Amino acid sequence: MRTIFCSFAGPLRRLALVGLASLTASAVAPLRAEDEPTIEISLQNDAFTPAEFKVPANRPFVLKVVNLEKSAVEIEATELKIEKVVAPGAAMIARVKPQKPGRYLLVNEYKEDLVKAFAVAE
Amino acid sequence: MLAAAIIVFREVIEAGLIVGIGLAVTQNIAASRLWIAAGVGAGLLGSCLVAIFTGTLGAAFSGAGQELFNAAILAAAVLMLMWHNVFMARHGRELAAEFKAAGEAVTSGGKSLFALAAVVAVAVLREGAEVVLFLYGVAVSDNSSWPLMLMGGGLGVLAGGLVSGLTYAGLLKIPVRRLFGVTSVLIAFLAAGMAAQSVAFLEQAGLVDVLGETIWNTSAFIADKSLLGRVLHTLVGYSDQPSLLQFLVYLATLATMLVLMRVLAPKPVTKPLVPPRASSLGAANR
């Protein structure tokens, strides 16, 4: 009985500790961009440059989008969980979780049928 | 024009639903419409401020300002909803039953009104800022069709108002006795969804990095962006690709809301028209 209890409590407590530790760690360093590759693209005259770009598959990366339009844009990539308003002349940085190989759509949501790009994970 | 209307409508639908629910929930409380209207007004004002300071906000906290801001105001809204439901669980029956007479109830109802007005303001603020930026972008563009697009945007806002009206009218169809129970459950789900969304923003900001694996992907059936997805997202917190942590926070919030309501609800005031049978009365009193 006692051993069963221990074997339960051990991993559980460890899990809680690990969870707590990583929570604090991530709170201290919100954007750990250093160890992750950063891919930078820009948006101007209703077009992304480049309109198709490679990102690493199965590992986290950072996507930076520079908005060179005259007005604000909303960068959205639902599968990459990006939804962010970017002021004119500003840039946005998004940390993206590891993705399976594939093509991921990125749009300016305000003109989603017109302004597209694809992130190709491989 | 239609495209603009759809974009704007998609943004305002959430606020529209919440305004409708807010109106219905507080229908018996004096001056509630003023409060909800004040919430909408404050939300609009906030939208414009957020729109103006998009650049500053986005650059704050090493680029995670927007997410942290959204996460914070959503968390505040969850607390407000929680407080509202607890308050209503304790005083709701009196409020509904003898409203016009009880002056005290009206003043204490005011506190709950503040909470709901704040939730309405948050809902309007969040999506409103995007609408303001979109319409501003349309207005300054070189595109010659901008008057039509602005008109489309206006139509989208009107459609959002229509959603409020329909939600309100629909909820009013529910008999007053049951409305309280229905809206309490509705608000519990609203709060759970907002809590999960708040977590999603913290995850996007990279601030929370545990239990992040996506537990299902139903985007092929009901995408978050579709109208149905938006409505379900607002009402029950639907997400097409939630993380495990989002799901757990959702369940925890929902459970907390429902348990708090249960625990704090007063025993129903028994004013039976027909005296209950002696045996059951005796058992209840003991």
Side-chain angles (χ1 to χ4, degrees), chain B residues 179-206:
Chain B
L179 179 67
F180 166 63
V182 171
T183 52
S184 296
V185 172
L186 207 59
I187 284 181
F189 276 99
L190 264 179
M194 285 182 173
Q197 182 67 37
S198 179
V199 168
F201 279 118
L202 290 178
E203 287 175 338
Q204 275 181 31

Side-chain angles (χ1 to χ4, degrees), chain A residues 96-114:
Chain A
V96 183
K97 285 182 198 164
Q99 299 293 327
K100 288 181 209 133
R103 274 161 65 85
Y104 298 93
L105 177 66
L106 191 82
V107 296
N108 169 8
E109 207 201 346
Y110 296 157
K111 301 176 180 178
E112 59 182 344
D113 299 326
L114 180 69

Side-chain angles (χ1 to χ4, degrees), chain B residues 133-146:
Chain B
L133 284 171
F134 169 68
L135 293 180
Y136 178 75
V138 165
V140 299
S141 71
D142 312 326
N143 198 326
S144 58
S145 67
W146 68 265

Side-chain angles (χ1 to χ4, degrees), chain A residues 18-20 22-23 26-32 70-72 74 76 78-87 90-91 93-95 97 107 109-113, chain B residues 7 10-11 54-55 61-64 66-67 129-131 133-134 136-137 140-142 201 203-210 212-214 225 230 241-243 246:
Chain A
V18 167
L20 217 92
S22 53
L23 255 177
S26 55
V28 169
L31 293 165
R32 291 163 300 169
K70 279 178 237 148
S71 58
E74 183 172 358
E76 184 177 79
T78 36
E79 285 170 293
L80 305 181
K81 301 209 173 175
I82 298 173
E83 191 177 358
K84 214 160 162 168
V85 178
V86 193
I93 293 171
R95 286 181 74 237
K97 285 182 198 164
V107 296
E109 207 201 346
Y110 296 157
K111 301 176 180 178
E112 59 182 344
D113 299 326
Chain B
I7 287 176
R10 209 167 50 196
E11 299 293 346
T54 302
F61 300 102
S62 22
Q66 232 176 74
E67 287 88 342
E130 289 176 18
V131 173
L133 284 171
F134 169 68
Y136 178 75
V140 299
S141 71
D142 312 326
F201 279 118
E203 287 175 338
Q204 275 181 31
L207 203 65
V208 174
D209 211 4
V210 283
E213 57 267 42
T214 304
K225 292 189 66 182
R230 286 266 167 172
Q241 295 169 62
S243 72
Q246 262 181 280

Side-chain angles (χ1 to χ4, degrees), chain B residues 1-10 12 134 149 151-157 159:
Chain B
M1 182 169 120
L2 195 62
I6 289 171
I7 287 176
V8 170
F9 178 59
R10 209 167 50 196
V12 297
F134 169 68
M149 288 188 68
M151 240 160 76
L155 279 180
V157 173

Side-chain angles (χ1 to χ4, degrees), chain B residues 28 87-99 105 176-178 180-181 184 261-262 264-271:
Chain B
N28 282 322
F87 173 83
M88 286 306 259
R90 294 174 80 170
H91 304 287
R93 273 169 230 275
E94 307 146 40
L95 289 186
E98 40 198 324
F99 210 86
V176 175
R177 276 190 156 280
R178 299 193 51 203
F180 166 63
S184 296
M261 282 157 56
R262 263 289 157 81
L264 294 175
K267 306 279 182 308
V269 187
T270 39
K271 273 191 242 164

Side-chain angles (χ1 to χ4, degrees), chain B residues 24-47:
Chain B
V25 168
T26 59
Q27 58 162 328
N28 282 322
I29 305 179
S32 68
R33 300 207 173 171
L34 266 179
W35 276 92
I36 301 294
V40 173
L44 284 177
L45 200 69
S47 302

Side-chain angles (χ1 to χ4, degrees), chain A residues 10 14 24 27 30 46 48 60 62 64 72 77 88 97 100 114-115 122:
Chain A
R14 206 172 312 145
T24 16
D46 287 343
F48 285 102
V62 173
K64 183 174 179 185
K97 285 182 198 164
K100 288 181 209 133
L114 180 69
V115 188
E122 49 177 54

